[in-house]
Amino acid sequence: MLRASFPLEPDDAILVVNSLPEKRSALVERLVVLQPLGYDLDCLQLFDESGSAIPYQILDRWTVERFWGVDYRAELFAEDQLEKFAVYRQRFGDRILKDDSQAGEHDTFLHILFYAEDLPPVGHKLFFLREGGETGKPLEIHVRAQKNRIENELLEVEIQPSGLFDLFDKVNDRRYEGLGFLENVADIGDEYDFGTLPDDEALSSTEILGEISVENQGPLRGRLLWKGSFKLPRSLSADRKSRSDEFVDCPLSISLTLDAHSPRLDMEIEFENLAEDHRLRAIFPTGIVSDSLVSDGQFMLNRRSLDHVTNADWAQPPTDAFPQQEFSWVNDHDGGLALLAQGLPELSARRNSAGEVSLEITLLRAVGWLSRDDFADRKCSNAGPTLYTPDAQCLGTHRFQLSLLPFQGDGVAAGVKDESARWRTPLPCRQGVAALAKPSSKGLISGLSSRVGLSSLRTNSQGNGLLLRLYNLGDESLEETLHTEFDIEEAWKCNLLEERQEMYLISGPRELTVSVEPHEILSIELMRRPQS
C-alpha cells in the first residue's frame, strides 16, 4: 500500500514497466499530460511510492488546447508520443498551441527525463508528478556534453568533423580511436550474395566535412549530432563493369548518445539512399589483437576463427561475413569491445597487418535483382530465378541502431548479453489515475545469471502458472536458482512442445533450482499455489 500521508490525485501516476528478469535502473523519457489545474511548474516535483522526491529534467513544454486525436497518456513509449504529437503540431499548431500564460485554461504537455532506480524484475514501479511535498533533490550532473564531446563517469567520447569518433573507457583505461566511419563499395551481386566489382575502390565517409551540434547537454543524457553528405556514384554502368561517372549527394547523420550511469555509447545512423548497386558498412577499428570473433547465435554464442578456410572445389567460396543475432565482440586477455545491433545480421571482422581487428557491420545492400549468374563471387551461377526487383535498391531514408559496449575480461562474465537485452528492451510507460494504480512488487521472476538466456516467458494454457524457456550460452553445466513472486505448487521440466516430462523437487516456497546442461534449451512450467 502507498503511505497514507501521500495524497493521491487523478491523472498524475506514471507506471514504468520492466519486462526483463533482473532488477534494472535506467533513464525514463516521457511526454506527460497535465490537466488545466494551474500547476506551478517551479514547484512541480516527481515522487516515488514512498513519497521520496526524484530528481527529473523538463526537456520541453507546451500549452495545448485539448484536441481529441490521440490519447498520449496511453502510448507506451516516448518516441511514439513525440512522433504523433509532432504531426499534430505541424498540422494543427495554429489551433492547438497556446501561450504559456494560458496554462491554467489548457492542458500542459511536459517532455521529461528521470532516472528510475531499482525497477523490479518482470514488474513495475509507480511515480507521481504533483506540486509541493518535501524539497526535491538537486539534479546532479551525471553527463556533460559540450562542443564535440560527451562524458559520464564510465565513458568519454569525442567526435571529429569527419564523423570519426574516439571512445575512452574510463573503467578499464582503454581508448578506441577512429570509430564509426562508413565504407561504400559497388555491389554487382543480387539479393542472395554480395558481388565484388573488379578493381573497385572503396569510398570512405572520412573525406566528408560535417557539422557537429549538441542535442542534449545533460545532466541526465548527452547527445551529439553530426551531419554531412556522402557523395556516391548513382549506379553501376550499363555494362555493370564500372560505377557511374554521375554522383548523387546522400544526406547522412550520426547521433551519439550517452546516458547517466550507462556503460554503453548508443549510436543512430540516418542515411538517405539515393544511389543504386552498392553496399554500405560501418567500420569500428578496435585496436584489439585477436584470432577469433564471438557472435550471438541461435540459443548460443558462436566463437569463430578469423582464419578463413576456402577450397577451389567448393560450389560457392565463403564470404568474409558472419551471421549474428544481437551482437558480436572481439576481446583479448584484458577485455574487449562489443558491437550491439538491431536488425543488422551481417558482420565481418577484418585484421590489419598488426593483427588488430576491425568490426565491420553491413548497414545496407542496394541491388536490383533477386538472382544473377554473372558475378565471380558465386562462380557465375544462379541461386534462384532471375527476377528484376527494383525495390531491393532500398532507395529512401534508413535509420540504423547500434551501440558500443567496452567490457573487462570475458564477455560472458561481463554480461554483454544482459546489456544488449537492456538496450533492446525499452521501458514501457503509461500515465493514469493514481487511485486505481497497483503498487509495485518485488518482481515476478528473477535470479538468472549472465550465463543463461531467457527467450520466452508467458502464462500457461490454464492461466494458473508460468511457462519459461532458458538456454545455456556456454559449454559448461550450470545450476540456476529461480525466485518467484508467488508460492510454487509444482514445477515441471518440459520439452520444446511444452509437454511435461518430469517433476522438479522445489527448493523452497518461492524458489526452484535447476541444472542446465551445455547449450541446453530448457522449458519449465511453474504452477502457482492457490491462495487460501
Side-chain angles (χ1 to χ4, degrees):
M1 294 295 293
L2 302 178
R3 284 175 15 183
S5 60
F6 194 68
L8 297 177
E9 298 177 4
D11 298 327
D12 63 354
I14 303 172
L15 179 143
V16 182
V17 176
N18 173 24
S19 59
L20 297 179
E22 62 170 1
K23 187 178 288 187
R24 184 180 179 189
S25 299
L27 280 189
V28 174
E29 185 177 5
R30 191 68 186 163
L31 183 65
V32 177
V33 180
L34 301 177
Q35 296 185 43
L37 300 176
Y39 287 97
D40 183 352
L41 295 185
D42 293 332
C43 298
L44 198 64
Q45 295 184 36
L46 183 70
F47 299 90
D48 63 16
E49 292 171 83
S50 70
S52 299
I54 305 297
Y56 76 103
Q57 181 180 2
I58 298 178
L59 300 176
D60 211 339
R61 60 168 292 187
W62 301 268
T63 300
V64 183
E65 179 179 318
R66 187 163 297 178
F67 188 86
W68 296 109
V70 176
D71 185 358
Y72 299 96
R73 299 168 301 177
E75 294 292 328
L76 297 181
F77 301 104
E79 182 179 0
D80 296 330
Q81 290 181 302
L82 295 170
E83 183 178 333
K84 292 180 178 180
F85 184 42
V87 172
Y88 279 87
R89 293 202 313 274
Q90 180 183 9
R91 303 286 182 173
F92 300 100
D94 57 336
R95 291 175 51 188
I96 65 175
L97 296 181
K98 304 298 179 181
D99 188 83
D100 290 346
S101 62
Q102 299 177 276
E105 305 170 22
H106 301 284
D107 291 343
T108 297
F109 283 27
L110 296 182
H111 182 194
I112 68 170
L113 196 64
F114 65 94
Y115 191 72
E117 292 189 86
D118 297 331
L119 297 170
V122 196
H124 73 276
K125 199 169 184 179
L126 294 172
F127 299 88
F128 306 90
L129 264 176
R130 65 171 57 83
E131 287 180 321
E134 62 183 71
T135 303
K137 300 177 184 177
L139 196 58
E140 298 179 17
I141 297 176
H142 297 289
V143 184
R144 295 179 185 272
Q146 51 187 353
K147 294 184 178 179
N148 66 331
R149 179 177 297 179
I150 328 171
E151 66 175 311
N152 64 8
E153 73 273 26
L154 304 176
L155 301 175
E156 180 180 333
V157 62
E158 183 174 333
I159 191 169
Q160 306 301 325
S162 63
L164 286 173
F165 62 90
D166 300 334
L167 177 64
F168 178 55
D169 176 5
K170 297 180 180 180
V171 176
N172 301 305
D173 192 27
R174 193 163 193 171
R175 184 177 297 276
Y176 303 92
E177 298 181 336
L179 300 171
F181 66 92
L182 303 189
E183 179 191 79
N184 186 266
V185 296
D187 191 341
I188 64 172
D190 53 30
E191 292 189 42
Y192 288 94
D193 293 293
F194 170 77
T196 305
L197 177 65
D199 301 321
D200 184 36
E201 292 186 8
L203 302 175
S204 172
S205 66
T206 56
E207 304 299 322
I208 303 171
L209 187 63
E211 296 182 352
I212 303 169
S213 60
V214 177
E215 297 294 295
N216 290 83
Q217 295 181 337
L220 295 176
R221 170 173 289 161
R223 178 175 290 149
L224 299 176
L225 180 64
W226 177 93
K227 283 188 174 183
S229 182
F230 204 175
K231 188 182 292 292
L232 300 178
R234 180 176 291 279
S235 63
L236 289 172
S237 60
D239 61 6
R240 300 178 68 84
K241 294 182 179 180
S242 64
R243 301 187 81 172
S244 169
D245 293 331
E246 183 182 356
F247 284 75
V248 290
D249 289 315
C250 299
L252 171 66
S253 67
I254 298 173
S255 174
L256 301 177
T257 302
L258 188 58
D259 284 351
H261 312 305
S262 176
R264 303 182 321 263
L265 176 67
D266 298 337
M267 180 180 186
E268 181 179 271
I269 300 172
E270 183 174 300
F271 175 73
E272 186 177 352
N273 183 34
L274 302 176
E276 298 181 348
D277 311 316
H278 66 98
R279 182 184 70 187
L280 187 68
R281 280 181 167 178
I283 315 295
F284 300 89
T286 68
I288 295 172
V289 176
S290 180
D291 59 4
S292 64
L293 172 78
V294 177
S295 296
D296 182 45
Q298 300 285 4
F299 298 102
M300 66 177 295
L301 295 177
N302 292 308
R303 181 174 293 276
R304 298 183 171 101
S305 171
L306 298 185
D307 296 322
H308 291 279
V309 178
T310 188
N311 188 310
D313 295 329
W314 289 352
Q316 180 173 342
T319 72
D320 68 344
F322 298 111
Q324 65 170 8
Q325 291 290 309
E326 299 181 6
F327 57 83
S328 291
W329 80 65
V330 62
N331 68 291
D332 54 23
H333 62 279
D334 292 325
L337 184 66
L339 177 60
L340 320 181
Q342 295 191 29
L344 299 171
E346 181 180 281
L347 181 132
S348 176
R350 187 185 305 175
R351 288 180 289 184
N352 62 17
S353 58
E356 298 171 335
V357 179
S358 287
L359 298 177
E360 308 183 356
I361 190 164
T362 302
L363 303 179
L364 182 74
R365 287 189 60 233
V367 295
W369 296 88
L370 178 62
S371 179
R372 294 184 67 97
D373 63 356
D374 57 357
F375 59 100
D377 300 75
R378 204 170 57 227
K379 294 187 174 181
C380 296
S381 60
N382 257 319
T386 305
L387 296 178
Y388 180 50
T389 55
D391 287 349
Q393 295 287 2
C394 300
L395 300 175
T397 300
H398 302 268
R399 293 181 180 87
F400 309 101
Q401 306 292 334
L402 302 168
S403 189
L404 289 170
L405 175 65
F407 60 88
Q408 186 176 32
D410 173 68
V412 176
V416 171
K417 186 166 183 64
D418 293 339
E419 190 61 41
S420 175
R422 296 181 199 112
W423 175 61
R424 297 166 64 87
T425 312
L427 297 168
C429 300
R430 181 154 182 164
Q431 181 184 349
V433 179
L436 300 178
K438 181 180 179 181
S440 63
S441 62
K442 294 182 179 180
L444 183 62
I445 191 164
S446 62
L448 295 177
S449 73
S450 62
R451 297 182 179 276
V452 169
L454 176 67
S455 67
S456 176
L457 175 65
R458 65 175 182 85
T459 56
N460 61 5
S461 57
Q462 296 81 22
N464 59 351
L466 293 178
L467 275 164
L468 58 153
R469 182 164 294 157
L470 317 176
Y471 58 98
N472 186 343
L473 293 169
D475 53 9
E476 297 180 359
S477 297
L478 302 173
E479 272 203 352
E480 295 289 320
T481 300
L482 300 170
H483 301 275
T484 63
E485 186 184 29
F486 56 86
D487 290 341
I488 302 172
E489 175 77 9
E490 293 178 354
W492 289 86
K493 182 176 183 178
C494 302
N495 60 21
L496 292 179
L497 297 177
E498 298 176 351
E499 299 167 336
R500 292 178 177 180
Q501 302 295 296
E502 60 182 273
M503 184 182 288
Y504 283 114
L505 180 65
I506 299 172
S507 312
R510 299 189 173 191
E511 184 177 290
L512 176 68
T513 299
V514 297
S515 297
V516 193
E517 297 306 311
H519 302 296
E520 181 182 11
I521 303 172
L522 180 60
S523 297
I524 300 171
E525 183 177 12
L526 301 176
M527 303 295 294
R528 183 190 299 265
R529 184 184 298 277
Q531 295 182 344
S532 56

